[in-house]
Amino acid sequence: MTTVTAGQIRAQVAGLRKKVRNGATAFALRVNGTWTGPDHMEIDGTAHLIRSCASDLQAREALHDATEKQSPIILLCSIASDRLGEDVIARFARNRVLAPDAGEILTELFAASIIDPRVLATKPLVEALLNRVPLSGYRPVGGGTLDLQHAWSVLIEQATGSSFADPSITQVLEWSADPKKMKALEAFDPQLRQAFVDWFARTRGESIRFMVAAIEAGSGAELVPLGLTLGLVFSPELKGTPEYHAAKARLEKTFGGEVIDAESARTWFRAAEAVAKSWLEGINATTPGALLKRVDALLADLKLPAFAYLSDYSAAGIEGRFDRLGEALQRAIKKPQGEHVAEARGSLDHINRHVLASSEVDRLERAEMALRLTGWLMSRVEPKSTTSLPELTEAYHREGGFLDWARNRLREADISTSLQGAYETVLQHVNAVMTEQEIHFATKLADWTRSEQQSERTICIEDVLTKVVVPVAKAQPVLLLVLDGLSVAVFRQLLRDITRQDWAEIANEDLGLPRPVLATLPSVTQISRRALFLGKLSPSKSGTEQGEFKNNEFLFKASGSANRPKLFLKGDLQEEGHGGIASEVRKAIGDKKSRVVGVVVNAIDDQLDGGDQYAPTWSIDRITPLRELLKLAADAERLVVLTSDHGHVLDLGSTKLPSAKGSFGDRYRLNTDALAEGEIHIEGRRVEQALGQKQIVLPWSADIRYGQKKRGYHGGANPQEVVVPLAILSGPTETLATGWREMPFYEPTWWRLAGADESVAPAEVAPKKPKVEVVAAVKGLELFDQPDATESAGEASWVDALFETTIYQAQAKLAVRGGPQKQVVASLLETIERRGGSIMKAPLAEALGMPLFRIDGLVQNVSRILNVDGYEVLSFDRAAETITLNTSLLKAQFELE
């Protein structure tokens, strides 16, 4: 030992004091060099003199000085015992100059009773512990034994300032972000560093050897991006390729000439991934830019940028995945077979696993829309030749809105050339089909209008008060919420959002509600909205919507209201200088004596007047007053009739056609000259009563306009404009009147990306009425030839047995408010089992015949019953909206096997 520290002196002398039996108060320790520390030290509460001793004379003088001062003394001798007189030696503890005893010193330093022999055998570790004794000393070792892990943990904690009680590769990687910690490790002398590596490798794997080699090569700050890069190099997709072997060879310079093995690389990658996720997802999350750029730089050094798509942590990699999705979509469109669509879905899943996926929400949603449209192209069924306009209207209301929602999103550009090309291909195929359907719809619309046909399956806009509002108001007070310009595509977006907010769509089969609505022709605000609030078609512009609505005697009397109906328009909704809904509107909605209150919100129609071209995503919060209006309705226990006066088409590259001056609107013209391609003549009583003339020309093509360019238009004969959405909504606390029931959440099968090739048989929630035509409007369409969905027999046997077990009966008492009925639990379990053990929230809601918002509470309640002792028999991934059933674990937990 070349030097001696105060801690070593104190530890060894303290140990000697406990063992000395001859009453000696002089302690002689063999040291090299000269002591430059203090001339006294307190040990066990007693002050001790400290003197250096290089000769017999110095020893005698020091002992004399101690005798006079009546103080114990510590002699730090640079000479051996045989160089001192016998009388001097006789006064020393143990009668000799003692060489430092590492075991004794460590025993005292750590208040240990046992020193693990492996500690003493690791000389660099012992040396470091003895040379780095803190001023306050080491903490006493628990259990009395100083083992190898504790010794290393103490040393590393002292060097880095971080606890090392549970050593891990992850912790070493976390240090790499702290230059001070890296510098502390680099300061270890080579023997100590090697001893640390040998010990760590024995307990935590060989990857530490390569990490330390990287530190020694100057790459200590890059341990995490290097580990992430190793995940790609040793991926199954790259293994065995020429690029793999070349990359391994290039890595040798980073690892001191050594070739890293696959197991060490994978261990390093898994730890680096855990650290990266903690950095990117933690409370003090960092932006991924610098980390991912460093991964890309390392891939470039290894000549692997073409394989960046294999890494979840490469900035270039996510773009590579978008490119590959585009290629997969192109294959799926050219050969619409199951394996190609599955490949495209796999490519989308691959993107979703990337660390940057959360920052690409819009692009991912567009990609999902492309997959949905591809699925629709594969599964669509052509309408029958005898399909009527009401049937086409129902089909569009039920499915067409989803198609246009997807089409509108897909028209936005993507920076990936490959993906953008795929989108254009998808749209080309979908648009070709939709054009034929739009021609078919317009032709049937013209025939239906000319022949003045009637149908119980469709409601005209002028009949909404009579056939919808009055029957609903008889059951409960109603808020007629008219979103001006609301298309079915936007309606589907809003309805999804609304039904996630504790609102349920309801139906009454006896009344045939809800049913889709047809706007006036032309489908413009000043005509169609007036017809809605007047309850009739009229070309007269006398009177006001509010006055006519208020003075509607049938609406007033038939609804059973004590107060006359009230209608609030755009300017009535807010008070100047105040936020939120105006007090008069609040008062009216809260007054239960007013059975009918109407509100018009113009957010959508106003948005169409803008000049910039984009297709916004619609939600409750995008339409400013909508959330508050729904809350007011819920608080007042009002049902909400959500509808519009007409829809709209977006300008996605329109052509302006000429028309006689003053005789046209954005999407209609009064002069009936020769038709251009994309136009159709419409004539009949509804046109004459609405407009004052029998004939009108309307474009069925969404790409025609007669006015100035805007974001969107309405007035034509396209189903996007003519079909008016309708939903009747019930709040979370409302009790439904007789005849009304909650509708299951609906999405087309092709809309569901997870398991979209599987159909779910909806649960029967009520017996069907004999009114086939009316029931079809509520339950679905007989428009296409569809196979009947049937349930497989005999699958409920284990579910029945489950209910009979004593464990289930005991667990059922844990459910909230009595828990779900056994029939509901059985349907839940059988549905999930039919889907292979997992199902998304939306199809489960439809299968169980429930509103979407009720699924969370149901799954939570059933989980309380099934998840015995915390084992996840039934789990709910809310981020992915997926419910998973572990049937084998259930049977084991409930002793069914």
Side-chain angles (χ1 to χ4, degrees), residues 747-766:
E747 286 176 346
T749 300
W750 53 265
W751 188 262
R752 305 168 197 148
L753 295 177
D757 54 333
E758 303 177 42
S759 60
V760 180
E764 288 296 333
V765 296

Side-chain angles (χ1 to χ4, degrees), residues 629-643:
L629 287 169
L630 289 173
K631 184 180 186 306
L632 290 171
D635 292 344
E637 296 185 341
R638 284 185 183 271
L639 296 178
V640 173
V641 174
L642 177 64
T643 190

Side-chain angles (χ1 to χ4, degrees), residues 345-365:
R345 286 182 190 147
S347 296
L348 180 61
D349 291 339
H350 202 201
I351 297 172
N352 275 306
R353 289 197 294 271
H354 198 282
V355 70
L356 290 178
S358 61
S359 63
E360 298 285 5
V361 175
D362 283 345
R363 294 181 72 191
L364 284 168
E365 184 173 320

Side-chain angles (χ1 to χ4, degrees), residues 412-473:
E412 300 171 38
D414 195 275
I415 60 175
S416 166
T417 304
S418 169
L419 192 56
Q420 181 61 30
Y423 289 168
E424 291 170 0
T425 302
V426 171
L427 280 175
Q428 182 181 359
H429 284 74
V430 173
N431 289 344
V433 177
M434 293 298 289
T435 297
E436 293 301 317
Q437 293 189 3
E438 288 167 355
I439 294 173
H440 192 189
F441 180 90
T443 303
K444 292 291 184 178
L445 177 64
D447 293 343
W448 187 83
T449 305
R450 183 184 308 108
S451 60
E452 300 182 4
Q453 299 175 23
Q454 297 294 321
S455 173
E456 290 298 319
R457 301 181 70 160
T458 303
I459 301 171
C460 292
I461 192 78
E462 61 269 23
D463 296 326
V464 167
L465 294 184
T466 303
K467 295 184 177 181
V468 181
V469 176
V470 167
V472 174

Side-chain angles (χ1 to χ4, degrees), residues 610-772:
D612 52 319
Q613 304 302 301
Y614 76 104
T617 299
W618 292 97
S619 65
I620 289 179
D621 293 323
R622 183 172 177 82
I623 300 176
T624 304
L626 185 54
R627 182 180 293 277
E628 190 173 1
L629 287 169
L630 289 173
K631 184 180 186 306
L632 290 171
D635 292 344
E637 296 185 341
R638 284 185 183 271
L639 296 178
V640 173
V641 174
L642 177 64
T643 190
S644 181
D645 49 355
H646 54 74
H648 66 266
V649 295
L650 295 174
D651 190 314
L652 300 164
S654 64
T655 299
K656 183 179 179 180
L657 295 185
S659 179
K661 186 175 181 181
S663 65
F664 65 90
D666 286 337
R667 291 268 299 164
Y668 71 93
R669 61 184 174 92
L670 301 179
N671 59 313
T672 55
D673 299 338
L675 297 178
E677 184 177 353
E679 294 182 317
I680 191 168
H681 272 121
I682 304 286
E683 61 180 324
R685 180 186 58 84
R686 286 192 81 227
V687 175
E688 184 175 12
Q689 289 182 348
L691 200 58
Q693 69 176 57
K694 272 197 169 184
Q695 281 193 346
I696 192 172
V697 173
L698 303 178
W700 58 260
S701 169
D703 298 329
I704 292 176
R705 60 182 169 87
Y706 303 115
Q708 296 301 311
K709 189 176 183 66
K710 299 191 296 188
R711 287 180 188 158
Y713 320 93
H714 48 84
N718 192 285
Q720 297 182 65
E721 304 161 280
V722 177
V723 179
V724 175
L726 175 70
I728 304 166
L729 304 170
S730 172
T733 61
E734 293 175 37
T735 302
L736 297 181
T738 303
W740 293 90
R741 65 171 178 83
E742 293 182 343
M743 294 176 65
F745 180 78
Y746 172 74
E747 286 176 346
T749 300
W750 53 265
W751 188 262
R752 305 168 197 148
L753 295 177
D757 54 333
E758 303 177 42
S759 60
V760 180
E764 288 296 333
V765 296
K768 290 186 177 181
K769 303 291 183 181
K771 297 181 180 179
V772 177

